[in-house]
Amino acid sequence: MTTPGASEPLRFGRFELWPGERRLLAGGEPVALGARAFDVLLALAERPGQLVGKRALMDLVWPGLVVQENNLAAQVSALRKVLGEPVIATIPGRGYRFVARAEPMARDPRPLHPAPSLRTNLPVELPALLGRAHEIDALGALIDKHRLVSVVGAGGMGKSLLTQHLLHARRSAYPQGVCWADLASVTEPAALPGAVASALGVEAGHGEPLPALTSAVAPLALLLALDNAEHLLDAVARLVKALVDAAPGLRIVATSQAPLRLAAERVLRLGPLSVPAATLPAAQALGHGAVALFAQRAGAIDGRFALGETNVAAVIAICRALDGLPLAIELAAARAPALGVQALLASMQDRLQLLTANRDRTAPERQQTLRAALDWSHGLLAPHEQKVFRRLGVVAGSASLELIETVAADDGEVDRWAVLDALDTLVDRSLVSVLSIPHEGAPRYRLFESPRAFALERLAAAGEHAFVQRRHATAIAAIFDAAYAEYFSGRVGADEWMQQRERDFDNARDAVQWARREGDADVELRVAATLLRALPPSLHAERMALAFACENRLDPALPEALQFQVWIELSCAFADTYKHRARQAAAQALRLARRLDGAQADRFALYHALARCASAAAQGGDLPAARALLDEAQVIEDPAWPAQRLLWGAEAGQWVARMAGDTGDALARGRRLVMLDRQRGSITGRYAAISAGNLIDAELAAGDARAAARSGAALVEWLRGTRHEYALAFARINLMAALLAIDDCTQARAIADAAWEKAPAFDLRHAAAAYLALLAALERRPRAAAQLVGYSEAMYAARDEIREANEAAATDRARTLAAAVLGDAEVDRLRAVGAALRDREVGAMAFATQDA
């Protein structure tokens, strides 16, 4: 049998070993292995049947390092757990032997990752839309003809449900789908762009939030719904105008109690459901929306309920008394099975008369009716049910059962079992709605805005607001503590974890704000540290503001484990934009990790800090420090750790290889990073795209420009039709670089135009300009090339960043081509001119057909 070479893949049993890519596959699926465990397997597999002594094997795996023998034993033990087959034999007292039958295999292309899905934020199941056939047709006709439609009506009228049904019916009608954005929990105008970006799942880039959002949304074609706009009407109007002006493919439906008053707006006013003017037979009465809704809701509570000739008159009277308001009708219908329709009518009419007589007469009549219906429904609750209802008022958005139990329970009559019973009643009474989450077994619960406002009034009147708010904040801190540990445990995939945390963003923001007001730094930072990990690129401005606030709140008196957690997350948050700050944060985390190392069950905290410090040092050009930190991290790396942990060392190793110019090692590590990224459950999101883009960068640096061009074209195509504009901008720059490396200026120019358009929004001008300079040089425009080189160099200098290998190669080549025509002195003069160019001048110069 021929012994495979180090770069030749081989198969043994159900496993495939890919040395160049540093991949181990089992049945075609990647297997997570630590770097040292992989090196042990590779060293033995390259010597099949041979006895490899322990010292010789340690020298192969840890060259130049003094390592304890038990480290080798730990790596072999981890390999046996993974392989589960007689692959490595131990020769007691001597060493190890690779005993599996290995066969060389042909190289195959890298497997494609799944296509990303478009988020809608719509409920899994929608309640039936009764009595609104005309309105849904009218709304559809309006949005077909106009790009901005507002559905306007009083609270409880059913605006949201009508709009949700429209979006559900049109999920496939637009290239980027449909999206629901609930603005009810947004309390500050400045937070609106981030809330919309988060709902869309777009990367809004850096800079001012609204321009960044419009830039990210500009190329999209979709239907966007903005729900509950009335409390921030002017700010929503400004945001909507900016979006409509910037994105010609965007259509917006807003729901509000008042119009936005924009020139492009068309208004659909939603009135009450129809109620018979007089008593009708049951079959005819069901043709009216109010009666149909009452009958459907009452029947859902008790399957024995049926509208008939004996109760139809009372049902019509109830619907008329409630002015045909859908929410008020649901509240009343929920009580019908227990009270009976006649008793319900009598009870409700007396209560409504009393309440509306004492209500503020300046309020609209239908608003008085809804408030009276809430008051009446609340009055029929048992005392412990009223207590749970009002305490739910502190929940922002929706909540898990775990959070509700913690917030609503107490040491008295309301224990956790009582909370469960009360919650069941509140759902039945239509005061609390149940949200089914896709791919999750556990539902979430929420109060609609009108019942929530009523609950908060009751909470304040009971004198409970302060202590329930404290309980809410501490409960969120505990939930986020557990979530942070879960992330690094590997028990849940990265994409899934992010989605789970996103559902509690509003609760987390409220908890952080409460902690700041109360001066509780412990609760604030416990919540904030997990938020820093969970906030997506679409909320970049919020993440940076939170990071600066955390940096200022850190206090040596806080628990060292919490300080470490915050510093390590700050090192990640600052990594893209504030590299020096990121390195300082990583150094603080490492200082604390060394102090904590002996007191913790495993050494991951130290490993994590070492890896982050190594990455930061490499990006800053300090390769000796980066290598020393990486070596220390790899000594303590446990190959049995999940991919969520191993990824940090792999990322640091790639940074060291890239900045050292070791293109082969960088490519191998890039492939391993992609594998680990998939294993940690980052499949369809922005991070999966970024890791694939980095791999393309590594292919180019390794000299395989045609492979990089193929991979880049595939990635750009994969990202088109998604909302991942940040990742798409990166991918286009990488594809442009690869195309220029093979002198394909025609395709490169088309890609460059799209890449430069997004570069300012995502702070990528420095990298994009390096390739624009090479494009100009290859198109025989040497004066433009020299000035664009100067612009790119100045941008890197202003950022105080080291140019990566591909950007450096592109600018060096552009400068050389320009100097061959103009001479070095003229190129240097033009570089100085280019350093002062503005962005619009760069675009005009880069895409001109004549030289500057």
Side-chain angles (χ1 to χ4, degrees):
M1 184 180 71
T2 304
T3 302
S7 61
E8 188 174 7
L10 59 91
R11 179 183 290 113
F12 54 96
R14 64 190 184 94
F15 294 95
E16 298 172 9
L17 181 65
W18 293 76
E21 293 85 346
R22 296 183 65 83
R23 288 192 295 162
L24 178 67
L25 305 181
E29 294 296 321
V31 176
L33 273 186
R36 297 304 188 191
F38 186 92
D39 290 340
V40 170
L41 177 61
L42 181 60
L44 292 171
E46 287 177 339
R47 299 161 179 82
Q50 298 180 27
L51 171 66
V52 182
K54 293 180 181 179
R55 176 49 53 192
L57 188 54
M58 291 167 68
D59 288 341
L60 288 168
V61 175
W62 289 279
L65 295 176
V66 178
V67 180
Q68 297 296 319
E69 194 172 293
N70 60 357
N71 280 308
L72 178 60
Q75 306 299 331
V76 173
S77 175
L79 280 171
R80 284 177 173 149
K81 290 178 183 177
V82 168
L83 299 172
E85 297 179 14
V87 174
I88 299 173
T90 300
I91 312 301
R94 299 186 63 191
Y96 301 91
R97 178 180 289 136
F98 189 90
V99 296
R101 179 177 176 81
E103 298 177 351
M105 53 185 287
R107 305 186 67 86
D108 65 349
R110 184 171 59 253
L112 295 175
H113 37 69
S117 58
L118 295 170
R119 63 189 302 173
T120 68
N121 306 317
L122 291 171
V124 176
E125 296 180 3
L126 288 175
L129 186 66
L130 299 173
R132 296 295 194 191
H134 172 73
E135 289 87 346
I136 193 71
D137 289 344
L139 179 56
L142 281 172
I143 203 64
D144 284 340
K145 294 179 181 178
H146 307 283
R147 293 181 50 220
L148 172 60
V149 178
S150 290
V151 181
V152 175
M157 197 62 74
K159 303 182 294 293
S160 299
L161 183 61
L162 179 76
T163 307
Q164 285 176 334
H165 273 267
L166 176 75
L167 264 64
H168 188 272
R170 299 193 172 207
R171 286 170 299 171
S172 303
Y174 306 93
Q176 276 82 39
V178 301
C179 184
W180 179 264
D182 187 352
L183 307 182
S185 59
V186 182
T187 57
E188 297 294 334
L192 278 171
V196 174
S198 181
L200 285 165
V202 300
E203 293 88 19
H206 304 167
E208 289 298 314
L210 183 54
L213 173 65
T214 57
S215 179
V217 172
L220 303 182
L222 76 151
L223 176 59
L224 171 65
L226 303 176
D227 191 37
N228 291 301
E230 58 274 344
H231 64 302
L232 294 172
L233 202 62
D234 291 343
V236 172
R238 288 193 295 272
L239 178 140
V240 166
K241 185 178 186 305
L243 289 175
V244 170
D245 288 347
L250 180 67
R251 294 178 184 271
I252 297 177
V253 178
T255 74
S256 176
Q257 294 184 24
L260 298 175
R261 302 196 181 283
L262 294 173
E265 180 185 29
R266 296 298 181 270
V267 175
L268 175 68
R269 294 194 179 273
L270 196 62
L273 293 171
S274 66
V275 182
T279 301
L280 293 175
Q284 293 181 33
L286 283 170
H288 292 264
V291 177
L293 177 61
F294 186 100
Q296 188 271 341
R297 184 63 188 137
I301 299 294
D302 186 344
R304 295 170 298 178
F305 178 87
L307 188 72
E309 303 311 322
T310 59
N311 60 14
V312 66
V315 169
I316 291 173
I318 289 169
C319 293
R320 189 180 299 121
L322 295 173
D323 295 328
L325 282 172
L327 179 55
I329 290 170
E330 286 198 37
L331 293 172
R335 291 289 182 177
L339 299 179
V341 174
Q342 298 294 343
L344 171 63
L345 176 60
S347 165
M348 192 187 66
Q349 281 182 327
D350 291 344
R351 186 66 171 158
L352 288 179
Q353 271 192 334
L354 174 64
L355 292 170
T356 53
N358 295 327
R359 195 61 59 203
D360 178 8
R361 289 299 179 182
T362 63
E365 182 179 345
R366 291 195 181 102
Q367 185 176 324
Q368 295 177 41
T369 302
L370 177 59
R371 173 54 187 260
L374 285 167
D375 226 334
W376 167 80
S377 186
H378 176 265
L380 294 176
L381 296 173
H384 77 282
E385 294 166 349
Q386 292 180 349
K387 189 176 287 188
V388 171
F389 171 71
R390 65 177 178 254
R391 290 175 179 177
L392 286 179
V394 301
V395 171
S398 66
S400 64
L401 181 59
E402 175 190 8
L403 178 59
I404 289 172
E405 287 179 332
T406 306
V407 168
D410 58 31
D411 296 329
E413 62 172 332
V414 186
D415 60 15
R416 289 180 180 266
W417 291 109
V419 171
L420 280 175
D421 289 341
L423 186 60
D424 189 50
T425 299
L426 295 172
V427 170
D428 281 346
R429 302 299 181 254
S430 294
L431 290 165
V432 170
S433 63
V434 182
L435 303 179
S436 297
I437 306 300
H439 313 302
E440 277 197 23
R444 291 175 69 85
Y445 303 87
R446 67 168 293 175
L447 291 173
F448 288 118
E449 289 313 297
S450 296
R452 187 187 182 211
F454 183 79
L456 287 170
E457 288 181 20
R458 291 293 172 180
L459 190 66
E464 293 182 338
H465 193 278
F467 98 86
V468 174
Q469 194 73 59
R470 174 181 294 277
R471 181 178 289 172
H472 173 268
T474 54
I476 287 294
I479 290 171
F480 271 41
D481 284 343
Y484 192 85
E486 183 181 51
Y487 178 84
F488 292 104
S489 72
R491 293 190 298 269
V492 62
D495 288 353
E496 181 184 352
W497 186 90
M498 295 289 224
Q499 291 164 7
Q500 291 173 355
R501 300 290 73 72
E502 183 177 353
R503 292 169 196 135
D504 271 321
F505 278 176
D506 290 331
N507 285 307
R509 291 175 181 120
D510 279 7
V512 169
Q513 291 301 322
W514 174 87
R516 286 177 184 166
R517 289 195 306 269
E518 299 297 319
D520 192 331
D522 182 85
V523 166
E524 178 185 349
L525 293 178
R526 285 164 61 198
V527 177
T530 303
L531 260 184
L532 286 172
R533 172 137 302 279
L535 286 172
S538 56
L539 297 176
H540 173 78
E542 179 180 353
R543 191 177 185 222
M544 288 299 98
L546 183 64
F548 293 134
C550 287
E551 196 175 35
N552 292 331
R553 291 286 279 158
L554 278 164
D555 187 326
L558 290 166
E560 289 190 332
L562 177 58
Q563 292 183 58
F564 165 79
Q565 187 177 336
V566 175
W567 280 120
I568 202 74
E569 292 306 324
L570 288 177
S571 78
C572 298
F574 291 142
D576 287 342
T577 312
Y578 304 99
K579 287 185 166 50
H580 285 298
R581 212 165 191 153
R583 188 174 183 183
Q584 291 168 356
Q588 291 282 12
L590 180 58
R591 175 184 62 81
L592 289 158
R594 293 195 188 282
R595 290 168 60 92
L596 293 165
D597 188 41
Q600 295 190 333
D602 65 30
R603 308 190 73 189
F604 173 64
L606 179 58
Y607 171 83
H608 194 180
L610 287 164
R612 283 296 308 132
C613 282
S615 292
Q619 290 177 70
D622 190 352
L623 284 174
R627 286 195 176 99
L629 290 159
L630 180 60
D631 286 342
E632 186 180 353
Q634 289 181 330
V635 167
I636 64 174
E637 180 179 272
D638 184 344
W641 279 341
Q644 281 88 334
R645 295 185 172 199
L646 296 173
L647 190 78
W648 300 99
E651 180 184 63
Q654 193 197 35
W655 271 115
V656 170
R658 286 170 67 179
M659 301 310 287
D662 189 341
T663 56
D665 190 32
L667 179 58
R669 291 180 181 275
R671 287 172 173 154
R672 182 167 183 262
L673 261 179
V674 170
M675 180 191 73
L676 287 171
D677 208 35
R678 294 176 188 170
Q679 287 178 354
R680 73 172 180 142
S682 182
I683 304 297
T684 61
R686 172 252 192 185
Y687 295 105
I690 292 296
S691 63
N694 287 338
L695 182 55
I696 296 165
D697 195 56
E699 286 176 329
L700 179 59
D704 197 346
R706 294 193 179 277
R710 289 192 299 270
S711 300
L715 182 58
V716 167
E717 184 61 30
W718 182 75
L719 288 166
R720 282 199 184 107
T722 74
R723 301 170 191 158
H724 299 309
E725 291 296 309
Y726 186 61
L728 182 56
F730 264 116
R732 282 172 169 152
I733 290 174
N734 285 330
L735 176 56
M736 173 171 55
L739 292 169
L740 290 171
I742 57 177
D743 295 347
D744 188 343
C745 294
T746 302
Q747 288 195 63
R749 173 178 271 263
I751 293 296
D753 195 10
W756 179 252
E757 181 185 0
K758 294 298 175 189
F762 297 118
D763 203 11
L764 298 173
R765 292 165 294 180
H766 56 301
Y771 300 112
L772 294 180
L774 181 54
L775 174 65
L778 291 171
E779 291 182 335
R780 295 185 173 86
R781 295 184 288 122
R783 293 183 178 278
Q787 292 183 62
L788 293 170
V789 166
Y791 173 84
S792 177
E793 291 172 336
M795 291 293 292
Y796 272 102
R799 296 166 64 93
D800 197 16
E801 285 185 25
I802 305 296
R803 289 183 300 167
E804 294 184 36
N806 290 332
E807 283 76 29
T811 50
D812 288 348
R813 187 182 177 199
R815 187 169 54 245
T816 299
L817 289 171
V821 178
L822 303 174
D824 290 336
E826 180 63 6
V827 166
D828 289 342
R829 186 188 72 79
L830 290 171
R831 284 167 58 204
V833 173
L837 289 174
R838 298 180 180 180
D839 290 350
R840 67 175 185 275
E841 295 170 325
V842 170
M845 182 180 294
F847 301 109
T849 55
Q850 302 294 322
D851 200 5

